[in-house]
Amino acid sequence: MEVSLTLNGSPRTVDVAPRSLLAQVLRDDCGLDDVRLDCETSTCGACTVLLDGDAVKSCAVLAPMADGSEVTTVSGLPRHDRLGAVLSAIESPDVLPCGECLPAVSVVTAALVQSRPDPSAREVARALSGTVCRCTGYASVVDAVVAARTTEAT
Ligand code: FES
Ligand code: FES
């Protein structure tokens, strides 16, 4: 069956099996390896994308359910203004050493900053609670997001 998406700002139609996962379609049919696929059980959050503006685990969404939707992966996130400053801040290897979780952390952070341009440390930590980072205790990410929004605002 055909599924039509607006994918990172461009129209895209793919032929998918009815029970294929959105994460698989994004990676295998659309070539977006910035969508990580680690646990495939809706646990780690590595596959998180924006679906009509909401951060969702794309391994928990059947591709046909996304028909007609806007899907944004880390490579399609807008890089201007406050969000751009925040995303640049978390891309430092000092913040996320191995980078495996960076796409998901970026998407989750983008969803937060777009709805709450001035999030508190607690709000950042809460937003990241569904995204596993095996290298940090999240403090570096929270600090970077809070520092970036403070810097950008001054
Ligand atoms: S790969 Fe989707 S939540 Fe882990
Ligand atoms: S930086 Fe390695 S998993 Fe997050």
Side-chain angles (χ1 to χ4, degrees):
M1 64 185 299
E2 284 197 342
V3 170
S4 295
L5 309 168
T6 300
L7 180 57
N8 289 338
S10 299
R12 181 81 189 236
T13 299
V14 283
D15 195 18
V16 305
R19 295 193 61 78
S20 57
L21 301 176
L22 179 59
Q24 293 168 329
V25 169
L26 293 174
R27 287 178 58 85
D28 300 342
D29 298 290
C30 301
L32 290 170
D33 59 7
D34 62 7
V35 179
R36 304 279 199 256
L37 199 50
D38 289 349
C39 72
E40 296 188 57
T41 59
S42 188
T43 302
C44 74
C47 61
T48 301
V49 300
L50 295 182
L51 183 62
D52 291 330
D54 295 325
V56 300
K57 295 173 181 175
S58 60
C59 76
V61 177
L62 293 175
M65 293 171 62
D67 186 43
S69 296
E70 186 168 336
V71 177
T72 306
T73 70
V74 63
S75 56
L77 292 175
R79 305 289 308 207
H80 50 72
D81 301 333
R82 186 172 299 242
L83 179 57
V86 170
L87 294 177
S88 294
I90 63 177
E91 285 167 356
S92 164
D94 294 337
V95 175
L96 294 172
C98 86
E100 177 63 18
C101 65
L102 178 60
V105 169
S106 299
V107 167
V108 168
T109 302
L112 173 64
V113 170
Q114 285 174 339
S115 64
R116 293 274 300 161
D118 201 20
S120 67
R122 183 185 293 263
E123 288 171 325
V124 177
R126 190 182 303 133
L128 291 171
S129 63
T131 306
V132 172
C133 175
R134 295 173 180 83
C135 303
T136 74
Y138 302 93
S140 58
V141 190
V142 172
D143 290 349
V145 173
V146 171
R149 65 143 167 90
T150 303
T151 303
E152 201 277 337
T154 55

